[in-house]
Amino acid sequence: MQRLLIVFTVLLFLSSCKSPVVYEKQPTVYQTGDNKRWAEKNFNTTSWLTERGNTAQGIFWSRSPVKLIKNPVSQLGLHLESFGAFEVYWDGIFIGRNGQITQKDKPEIAGYSTGYFQIPDSLAHPGLHILALRTSQSYFNGVKRPIGIELNQFADLLKNPLIITSFMNLMAGAFLIASVYYFFLYLNSRRKEHSILIFAIICSLFFSLLITEYIKFYIAIPYTRFFVRLEIIGWLTFAIAMLVPLYFCIQFHFSKKKILLITLFIILITIYIVNYDHFDLTALWYSRVMWFAAVVIVLNAIIQKEKGGLIVLTGLLASAIVNDFLFYDFGLFISFTLIILCMLYLHALRARVIEDEFQSSLLLSSRLQLELIKKNIQPHFIRNTLTSLIDWVEESPKQGAEFIQALAGEFDIMNSISEAVLIPIRQEIELCKTHLTVMQFRKEIHYEWQESGIDETEYIPPALIHTILENGITHSIPIAEGLITFKLTYLCTATYKQYTFETNALNRQASEKREGGNGFRYIQARLTESYSDRWKFISEAIPGGWLTTIQIDNK
């Protein structure tokens, strides 16, 4: 955050710096054909046209009067933006070329879209000067791009773009690191937050946009490849203009998200069609539409009293002010950066909520561990079990010993799983079987355990089936011959996993409808702890007993 603010300050300073060279440019005139005399300073151009006309594959000349008002520097430099291959003449003196002009026996060698030339000191005095270009434009000859002219100290012409690029690369690096960090954060998080993935994509797109925009300063681009970079910039801006409002929709729970995004997509496509080949204008309108959509979402969030709405609105307004007052390239990227900082602020708020939920889950986990221990050391259970144990030891010492071993085995299993969040299903089944052995001695009722389709590799929360089993024992009456049967069945499909637990017995008559006591609350809390909201729990009476179903949706 602090580094980006420093970058903004430096860029603002750079944007306010003025060149010591003062000059005025007058309209450029054109003439099709080739005559070396057209480079002379005093050549009469009254018959020349202000429009280039159709030059086809031939050679044409342009003359641009430049009035040098103030030049306190030595080594005056000339920066040209033009299409084609051309030779440069200043007051009739040849000072350089860009590419190779087409010749009768040789095709044109395309020049670069940007060229830098040094003007001799003897020709850099204040006064009126003539910049003449002898040009051929064999490729894209239908594109009549105006000639861009800039005068400054030659060293500054070369140095300033590199300084600006270094700061922009610093900004791009920050977004690259953020992108990588949030991609890894998304991939390694248990809860796949789509907003994290979208933010990572936006950061990577913004990194790509910065690199693509300023790559022209350290890679020479022939004019034949000029539009490739602009097309890439346009589509990157299009993608950002779609994803930024989507991110705000998710973070602020915007109810009409689909309608807004479809409308936004249609508007952006319309802008692309209407302004085709006007690349800077297209990108500008993309950013404006994106900003307007974001403001609509944030205003709705403020009305709904969503946290962070006012701060994000302040950031959006600040981005609009920056974009209005600064040079287009600086303003666009700095305003985009402010918007991304607003998104980062929202993510920080969301991260705080997740952290609070995590701390709550830790407290819940500790409470559930205590509940699990309390289930087996409650005084009522211990008293009744010890009373039964005394009777069995006195009447049948051998079976009393088995009773003691079963009780000890249940406590051992409970102790080993008390701190676990998930345990193997086979360990849970062993706990249930051991408990049935204990209860068989206590109640002198025959319990039968059955299972079907069990996947030995599956894990479930501890004492989940055990709690359902306890409920079945407590609220069931044996059928003929003093038998109660319990059956656990496992089913796995492409979309969910399901456990069904069937108690085959007579149901006790309840004085009022049962809504589920502590046991059901324990089951629901355990399912929420491990599976969030991806579960269903149904427990209901059926003819011949009770049926409990636990369904867990796959990720």
Side-chain angles (χ1 to χ4, degrees):
M1 179 78 73
Q2 292 178 347
R3 286 185 178 182
L4 289 175
L5 290 175
I6 293 173
V7 170
F8 298 155
T9 303
V10 173
L11 289 177
L12 286 170
F13 173 76
L14 288 175
S15 65
S16 63
C17 291
K18 294 183 178 180
S19 169
V21 179
V22 181
Y23 61 96
E24 291 180 355
K25 296 177 289 185
Q26 298 180 15
T28 300
V29 292
Y30 299 89
Q31 179 66 43
T32 302
D34 188 18
N35 188 336
K36 289 295 182 70
R37 291 184 60 243
W38 293 349
E40 294 177 1
K41 180 177 181 180
N42 297 319
F43 184 81
N44 187 356
T45 59
T46 54
S47 62
W48 287 36
L49 303 175
T50 56
E51 296 291 335
R52 197 184 84 190
N54 183 16
T55 59
Q57 303 290 323
I59 296 174
F60 64 94
W61 282 73
S62 63
R63 288 170 62 93
S64 304
V66 179
K67 184 177 181 181
L68 191 57
I69 300 172
K70 180 181 178 182
N71 180 26
V73 302
S74 60
Q75 295 183 339
L76 182 65
L78 170 65
H79 171 208
L80 286 178
E81 297 276 351
S82 183
F83 272 12
F86 52 84
E87 296 173 353
V88 183
Y89 297 86
W90 181 267
D91 289 345
I93 305 300
F94 174 80
I95 61 173
R97 65 166 46 91
N98 184 10
Q100 182 63 55
I101 295 175
T102 183
Q103 301 177 17
K104 292 182 179 179
D105 55 344
K106 293 181 181 180
E108 175 189 304
I109 299 176
Y112 301 121
S113 57
T114 298
Y116 296 91
F117 306 92
Q118 186 172 353
I119 297 174
D121 289 344
S122 59
L123 302 176
H125 54 81
L128 184 65
H129 300 272
I130 298 296
L131 170 65
L133 300 183
R134 178 175 178 256
T135 308
S136 69
Q137 190 176 327
S138 300
Y139 310 96
F140 301 148
N141 50 69
V143 178
K144 300 174 183 179
R145 188 171 184 239
I147 300 172
I149 301 172
E150 179 187 3
L151 294 176
N152 201 348
Q153 188 171 0
F154 186 67
D156 289 341
L157 288 176
L158 300 178
K159 180 177 63 176
N160 290 343
L162 296 178
I163 294 175
I164 295 172
T165 303
S166 65
F167 284 113
M168 289 300 179
N169 285 345
L170 178 62
M171 188 187 300
F175 284 105
L176 176 62
I177 294 172
S179 172
V180 173
Y181 172 78
Y182 282 102
F183 269 125
F184 283 132
L185 183 64
Y186 174 79
L187 293 174
N188 290 281
S189 60
R190 293 182 60 186
R191 297 174 59 179
K192 300 300 182 182
E193 295 278 344
H194 291 159
S195 59
I196 296 177
L197 177 60
I198 293 172
F199 184 74
I201 294 174
I202 291 172
C203 286
S204 64
L205 290 173
F206 193 66
F207 161 77
S208 303
L209 184 62
L210 282 167
I211 294 299
T212 306
E213 175 64 33
Y214 289 93
I215 198 173
K216 62 184 179 181
F217 288 135
Y218 47 88
I219 293 181
I221 302 175
Y223 81 93
T224 53
R225 299 287 185 267
F226 181 80
F227 294 113
V228 175
R229 183 181 67 91
L230 296 182
E231 284 281 2
I232 294 173
I233 290 173
W235 286 112
L236 288 173
T237 310
F238 184 99
I240 293 173
M242 283 295 302
L243 290 177
V244 168
L246 174 59
Y247 179 88
F248 285 133
C249 283
I250 295 174
Q251 291 288 39
F252 286 126
H253 308 96
F254 191 70
S255 58
K256 298 180 180 180
K257 177 174 62 178
K258 290 184 179 179
I259 297 175
L260 184 139
L261 292 177
I262 292 173
T263 304
L264 178 62
F265 180 79
I266 293 173
I267 293 174
L268 294 178
I269 287 294
T270 303
I271 291 173
Y272 176 78
I273 295 172
V274 172
N275 296 299
Y276 187 73
D277 280 348
H278 296 81
F279 299 99
D280 287 344
L281 183 61
T282 300
L284 178 62
W285 276 108
Y286 284 165
S287 61
R288 287 177 176 175
V289 171
M290 176 199 71
W291 183 88
F292 182 78
V295 169
V296 170
I297 298 167
V298 173
L299 288 175
N300 181 76
I302 293 173
I303 294 172
Q304 295 179 349
K305 298 182 179 180
E306 294 274 358
K307 191 174 182 180
L310 285 173
I311 293 180
V312 174
L313 180 62
T314 303
L316 290 174
L317 294 176
S319 70
I321 294 172
V322 168
N323 195 32
D324 187 61
F325 280 94
L326 289 184
F327 175 67
Y328 171 74
D329 284 351
F330 291 165
L332 181 64
F333 289 113
I334 293 176
S335 61
F336 269 16
T337 301
L338 290 174
I339 292 174
I340 291 179
L341 289 176
C342 292
M343 297 166 62
L344 186 61
Y345 170 75
L346 289 180
H347 179 72
L349 291 180
R350 179 60 182 161
R352 177 63 181 271
V353 171
I354 293 175
E355 176 66 19
D356 292 342
E357 291 176 353
F358 175 72
Q359 294 298 330
S360 298
S361 69
L362 291 180
L363 294 175
L364 174 63
S365 181
S366 300
R367 183 172 62 81
L368 291 175
Q369 292 175 19
L370 294 175
E371 289 290 332
L372 183 59
I373 295 173
K374 285 167 59 179
K375 283 166 62 66
N376 279 272
I377 62 173
Q378 53 182 306
H380 179 74
F381 174 80
I382 295 294
R383 185 183 69 250
N384 291 343
T385 301
L386 292 178
T387 300
S388 299
L389 180 60
I390 291 171
D391 293 339
W392 276 103
V393 170
E394 290 178 349
E395 296 178 7
S396 178
K398 183 178 181 180
Q399 289 182 309
E402 293 178 6
F403 191 178
I404 293 172
Q405 290 176 352
L407 183 61
E410 182 173 2
F411 281 142
D412 284 341
I413 296 174
M414 279 291 184
N415 183 60
S416 64
I417 67 175
S418 62
E419 296 184 359
V421 176
L422 295 171
I423 64 172
I425 183 61
R426 181 52 59 188
Q427 190 174 18
E428 176 74 9
I429 291 174
E430 290 302 318
L431 174 63
C432 293
K433 288 182 176 180
T434 304
H435 185 67
L436 285 180
T437 301
V438 172
M439 297 307 294
Q440 192 163 276
F441 279 110
R442 263 192 57 186
K443 294 182 174 289
E444 298 186 24
I445 296 175
H446 182 59
Y447 297 107
E448 183 177 311
W449 176 271
Q450 298 176 1
E451 58 189 65
S452 174
I454 301 301
D455 184 352
E456 303 288 342
T457 63
E458 284 294 317
Y459 282 70
I460 65 169
L464 207 65
I465 307 301
H466 179 272
T467 303
I468 301 172
L469 175 66
E470 284 184 321
N471 189 68
I473 293 173
T474 303
H475 300 287
S476 300
I477 300 174
I479 56 177
E481 300 178 357
L483 174 66
I484 297 179
T485 303
F486 302 98
K487 183 176 182 180
L488 177 65
T489 304
Y490 176 74
L491 173 66
C492 183
T493 70
T495 57
Y496 65 87
K497 297 180 290 186
Q498 179 174 288
Y499 292 93
T500 56
F501 190 83
E502 184 177 354
T503 302
N504 186 13
L506 299 176
N507 295 324
R508 293 183 184 274
Q509 294 294 327
S511 58
E512 57 183 17
K513 185 178 179 180
R514 286 185 294 167
E515 297 293 339
N518 293 331
F520 279 11
R521 285 193 287 272
Y522 172 82
I523 292 171
Q524 292 164 352
R526 278 293 190 185
L527 290 172
T528 300
E529 177 191 31
S530 298
Y531 308 110
S532 185
D533 58 350
R534 298 183 295 104
W535 57 270
K536 294 178 182 177
F537 175 70
I538 303 172
S539 188
E540 57 188 358
I542 60 172
W546 199 270
L547 181 65
T548 301
T549 302
I550 298 174
Q551 188 178 103
I552 303 166
D553 295 335
N554 294 329
K555 293 183 179 179

